[in-house]
Each structure stands twice: as structure tokens, then as C-alpha cells.
Amino acid sequence: MDILVPEREVSVLADQIDRAAHADYVYMYPPRQAYRQFTEAGLDSVAGLVASSLARESRLNLYVHVPFCHQICSFCNLYATNAYLRDMQKYVSAVINEVQVYEQLTDKKDIATIYLGGGTPSLLAPKQVEELITALLQAFSSAPTVIPAETALEVDPATLDLSKLRALRSSGVNRINLGYQSMVATEVAQIGRKRSPMASLQLLEGALGVGFSNVCVDLIYGLRDQTDESWAESVAQVAAIGPETICAYALTLRPYTGYHKRGYQHVDGEVLYRRYDMAHEILSAAGYARETHVRWVRERGGYVQKANHWNLQNVLGFGAGARSYLWDVDLRNGYSVRRRRDPLDSYMERSGQPSIQVSDGYVMSHEERMRKAAVLNVTSLDRAWFNDLFGQDPLEAFESEYHELLSTGICEINESHIFLTEAYYNYRDLVSQYFFSPEVRQLVSEFDYNE
Ligand SMILES: C[S@@+](CC[C@H](N)C(=O)[O-])C[C@H]1O[C@@H](n2cnc3c(N)ncnc32)[C@H](O)[C@@H]1O
Ligand code: SF4
């Protein structure tokens, strides 16, 4: 991640906006590039930080990372590694072991959401998905037979057919996230995925009839060889079928990915902003409402776990590569795009140990927590919510920041919210960086992608 707003200077921000600089999607704060390995003493205190975070709230969100994939896509900087059937059941058992370690640290909770992400969790058998959901609810839920209203699973459309989708629905999953990325055959081939576009469209149409309460489709703009026209075609095709949620992400390019190795290292900001505008126009015309700068929804659409994370609820993660976002600490359990198998092997080796196993993270402070609230909710910050959490109006907590943003017209204010002016909405990730603390900017700038 490039820090494009290195100082809290509104003129620097305005200059970057004028130049159509495009910042990476800020979906967590501090960004993972600010994470560092814990010292031994730090590691010893992690269990206490987890327990104190969980004790604050009766609600809890649960995440399981399933790092297996059929192929490694050219753009992929997520934690994923090639799948071997023999690994799957051992992995499910290891995750359940880990769940039982964390279970000791908390009383039972109201489980708001469960999210199985990846990787490609749709490679698991429906029975294994059910086993995971059951284990999570038994360990953490005060009502273990009740499936949370958002129980979600990420799906690679190339990995299944309608009958498996039906079986997943029966295993408790009520939201699916279909990672299409593009509906154009040449682009799909270019990212290294094998999928027939006709089969894809049929699967999406069929998925809407399976009984999920929320079907979400992910698309990416900025893909290699994508044109404005082909992007518009992808968005329009999905909108015409009408899933409840459509996400459109600007491409993030990272070292050591396939794209990077093959020399695709820059996408023009103007192109990205234009494609964002195109998506917004097509989706608005199709009746979708913009929920965030990456997500458009209709009816029961949305992404509750992400919204809860951004509202500073606890999200507890399990599995190799999983992250937890907790009140007192952020944690991660391995990551590598260079040696993709290593974090999985290390996770499996450590399975069965009686204490929490994590690789790195960030211990939160009062100030960083307030920044997290401002950074993640920069498009619309609820002043009463902020005040309830921190005992201060955000205008008071970040007096000079908001003074500058309001006086330049980047932000507006009313009695209840501080929000980005419509003309600046798509610069959300740049404006987010304006609220990064000096320490986090420094850590991110020093980060070495040689991981
Ligand atoms: C957590 S990922 C889901 C991973 C899932 N295995 C997949 O690829 O379908 C959620 C979404 O983020 C988006 N995404 C992943 N890597 C990206 C990248 N490098 N740049 C932009 N968007 C990306 C994709 O749209 C993906 O579906
Ligand atoms: S983009 Fe998704 S499907 Fe492709 S390798 Fe990464 S995690 Fe797996």
C-alpha cells in the first residue's frame, strides 16, 4: 500500500485528488502493512487482550479462512494455496481445535454473523461446512441451534453446480459471495481461471432460486486487457440477472503476484475512477442503491460482517491466514504470497497446542481506535455512535482534520453525521488515509513486501 497522503495536510490530499491518484481499498485499520510480529512477551499478553475484547460485548462475529484454491489467480494477493483433497478434512479438524482454544476465553455470545472466506471455501464438502458452522455455534453461541441471519460462504463459480449450492444452503449457509471478477471470457482466462461464461450466467441465475437470502457477486475493474466497454458489459450482465448485492473493486496490484511478475504494475487512476463512475451509473439505473464505495444493494442485500467490523464490533477469525479485528488487538495467523504453502504447514504443525497461535498483529490504543472509526466510516460517520463509544464528538476528537476537510468542501456535516461530499465520494480511500496516525503511516511506509 502506498501512502499517498503522507502528512495530515489538506493541500496534499487536494493535490492527489486533482491528479486522480488512486489509493488502495482501505477495508481495515490499521492496514495489515502496519502489523508486526509479536515479541514473546507480546504473545503472552494476546490471550488477555482477546478475553478483554470479547468481555466488552454480548455480540460476536466469526470468520473462518479456508486458504485452498484450484489455481492461483494472476491478481491474487490474498492468502491462498493450491488445494489437495487430502488436506481438507485435516484442516477442518485443525480449525475446530483452534475454536476450542478460543472458547476457553469467553462466555457465550449472541453470534451476529459467520463468514467462511478464502481462498475458496466452496471447495469444502457441504458436510464439512456444516461441521464448521456447528462447532462455531457450540463453542460461542448462547443459542447454538440458531443459524445467524448472515451465515456466508465465498464461492468460486468454477467449483460447483446448482446441486452443491442447494446442499450448501441445507448446511446452514444463507448468503453466498460469488467471485466472478469478470463476465468476459477472455478476461476470465487472463486471470488464470477456467470457466465457461455461459455456464457462469446459468449458475448465477440458478443461484437466485436456491433460497439464499442474499446472493452477492464480486467484480474487479482494472484487470489486464479490460476495456471500458468490457467492464460495462460485465456490470450490465450481472445487474440484468439481479443478485441482491454487487461489489465492484478496483484492482489492487502487489509484488510477487502473477500480474506483477508479468510486468502489469500500474493501472491509471483516471481509468479506475471512470470505471467506478460507469458501475455506479449502470447499477443505479438498474435500481441498486450504493451502500459503500465498493457495494451496491437491493432488497435484502448487504454485507453485515463487514459493516459490523467497520462499526468496531469484535470479529474473531480462525484458520491459516485468518485475521481477527478485536477491540484491544488485531491478530493474524500467517500470510505469504511468495511461499504460499508455508503458513498452512505451520498452522497444521501447531494445531492441537493449548494456547493461541498467531503470527503478528497490532495492539490497539484509544487513539487508534478512534482513528479506526473515522478511517473506516469516512463516507458517513454517525456522530452519536462515535460519542457513545468514545465519549467525545468526532469534531472534537479530530478538530483540525475536520476543520480542514469541512472548509475545503471535501466533507459536509449535519446534526447527526459527518460525510463525504458527493463529488468526493469516490476518493474515499484517499480521504481515509488523511486520518491515519503518524505511527501507522510510518509502519506502512517501512513495510517490506518480501513476505
Ligand atoms: C476476500 S476476496 C474473495 C476471494 C475468493 N477466493 C475469490 O477470489 O473469489 C473478496 C473479493 O475481493 C476481490 N479481490 C481479491 N483480490 C483482489 C485484488 N488484488 N484487487 C482487487 N480486488 C480483489 C475479488 O472481487 C474477490 O472476490
Ligand atoms: S483470487 Fe480468490 S480464487 Fe483466486 S487464488 Fe486468490 S483466493 Fe483463490
Side-chain angles (χ1 to χ4, degrees):
M1 161 181 271
D2 290 328
I3 293 289
L4 299 176
V5 189
E7 303 144 56
R8 199 194 45 73
E9 251 325 310
V10 84
S11 59
V12 176
L13 173 63
D15 187 47
Q16 293 288 33
I17 291 174
D18 280 349
R19 295 200 283 134
H22 198 282
D24 290 343
Y25 179 26
V26 181
Y27 55 89
M28 55 192 280
Y29 181 84
R32 69 172 185 84
Q33 292 84 351
Y35 287 7
R36 293 294 182 270
Q37 268 192 323
F38 291 109
T39 58
E40 219 166 286
L43 209 50
D44 285 345
S45 63
V46 164
L49 294 171
V50 172
S52 60
S53 301
L54 299 183
R56 278 193 83 244
E57 273 206 305
S58 57
R59 283 170 308 201
L60 178 60
N61 301 274
L62 300 168
Y63 175 85
V64 176
H65 196 74
V66 182
F68 306 113
C69 287
H70 258 334
Q71 73 287 307
I72 299 299
C73 307
S74 339
F75 61 81
C76 184
N77 65 320
L78 304 165
Y79 177 56
T81 183
N82 285 120
Y84 298 97
L85 208 57
R86 61 171 188 272
D87 290 332
M88 303 286 179
Q89 187 57 43
K90 281 191 215 147
Y91 186 73
V92 168
S93 304
V95 170
I96 293 172
N97 283 342
E98 192 186 8
V99 162
Q100 287 161 355
V101 172
Y102 279 87
E103 183 184 3
Q104 314 302 318
L105 300 175
T106 175
D107 55 358
K108 303 292 184 218
K109 300 289 178 191
D110 168 14
I111 303 304
T113 62
I114 293 180
Y115 197 96
L116 273 62
T120 310
S122 57
L123 288 173
L124 295 178
K127 234 179 122 10
Q128 292 168 325
V129 170
E130 191 172 349
E131 210 181 319
L132 285 171
I133 294 173
T134 305
L136 289 168
L137 291 174
Q138 272 172 2
F140 299 111
S141 177
S142 48
T145 56
V146 178
I147 300 283
E150 180 179 276
T151 298
L153 179 106
E154 278 174 354
V155 174
D156 173 352
T159 57
L160 45 59
D161 56 13
L162 268 186
S163 72
K164 183 158 178 187
L165 276 185
R166 286 192 201 99
L168 286 167
R169 175 70 196 95
S170 304
S171 73
V173 172
N174 51 34
R175 178 195 196 269
I176 50 166
N177 216 79
L178 293 157
Y180 277 102
Q181 321 313 349
S182 166
M183 305 309 274
V184 176
T186 49
E187 291 170 16
V188 174
Q190 169 77 260
I191 60 178
R193 292 192 180 182
K194 297 170 198 73
R195 198 173 77 216
S196 127
M198 275 317 292
S200 293
L201 280 178
Q202 280 164 8
L203 184 80
L204 177 55
E205 280 165 347
L208 296 184
V210 168
F212 296 107
S213 52
N214 186 357
V215 173
C216 172
V217 170
D218 288 347
L219 297 171
I220 298 182
Y221 53 99
L223 293 175
R224 191 167 200 170
D225 295 341
Q226 188 181 53
T227 62
D228 286 358
E229 291 69 32
S230 71
W231 169 240
E233 195 181 317
S234 282
V235 178
Q237 277 190 24
V238 176
I241 296 173
E244 285 80 7
T245 309
I246 301 178
C247 292
Y249 298 103
L251 179 71
T252 301
L253 280 167
R254 290 281 185 260
Y256 302 108
T257 57
Y259 267 167
H260 192 264
K261 286 182 201 156
R262 274 173 258 131
Y264 190 51
Q265 298 187 6
H266 174 74
V267 197
D268 191 51
E270 263 177 39
V271 171
L272 294 177
Y273 287 122
R274 191 167 67 238
R275 297 214 180 131
Y276 165 86
D277 287 340
M278 291 167 72
H280 185 47
E281 201 173 306
I282 296 167
L283 294 172
S284 304
Y288 284 85
R290 183 178 59 192
E291 195 184 54
T292 71
H293 71 311
V294 299
R295 189 159 65 247
W296 286 261
V297 298
R298 58 178 198 76
E299 293 164 17
R300 298 158 300 187
Y303 183 174
V304 181
Q305 182 157 114
K306 186 74 77 193
N308 290 352
H309 165 198
W310 287 15
N311 282 327
L312 272 66
Q313 288 184 27
N314 290 314
V315 181
L316 188 57
F318 305 92
R323 289 188 292 251
S324 294
Y325 308 108
L326 304 172
W327 183 258
D328 287 318
V329 70
D330 279 3
L331 301 171
R332 182 166 69 164
N333 209 346
Y335 178 83
S336 179
V337 287
R338 293 187 71 198
R339 291 171 295 272
R340 285 185 176 269
R341 184 82 196 177
D342 287 5
L344 175 67
D345 286 345
S346 147
Y347 179 78
M348 296 305 291
E349 269 163 31
R350 288 175 288 134
S351 173
Q353 298 205 7
S355 57
I356 290 179
Q357 304 293 314
V358 288
S359 57
D360 52 359
Y362 191 91
V363 177
M364 296 299 284
S365 62
H366 177 70
E367 189 203 322
E368 292 296 2
R369 233 175 261 131
M370 289 201 295
R371 290 190 180 275
K372 176 175 175 179
V375 164
L376 296 179
N377 298 290
V378 74
T379 55
S380 178
L381 182 63
D382 183 329
R383 297 172 68 184
W385 167 78
F386 188 99
N387 209 333
D388 277 352
L389 271 187
F390 302 114
Q392 231 180 337
D393 188 278
L395 282 184
E396 226 180 287
F398 300 111
E399 193 184 345
S400 50
E401 283 93 335
Y402 280 123
H403 174 76
E404 290 181 344
L405 292 176
L406 291 167
S407 61
T408 46
I410 292 174
C411 280
E412 292 177 89
I413 188 163
N414 63 24
E415 254 178 39
S416 62
H417 286 79
I418 310 173
F419 49 95
L420 274 185
T421 308
E422 181 58 29
Y424 291 96
Y425 195 92
N426 55 357
Y427 300 104
R428 180 266 185 196
D429 294 313
L430 269 179
V431 185
S432 294
Q433 287 196 5
Y434 186 69
F435 286 93
F436 284 17
S437 70
E439 179 184 294
V440 166
R441 284 170 215 252
Q442 184 71 23
L443 286 166
V444 173
S445 317
E446 287 167 6
F447 182 74
D448 171 11
Y449 278 94
N450 202 6
E451 54 192 346

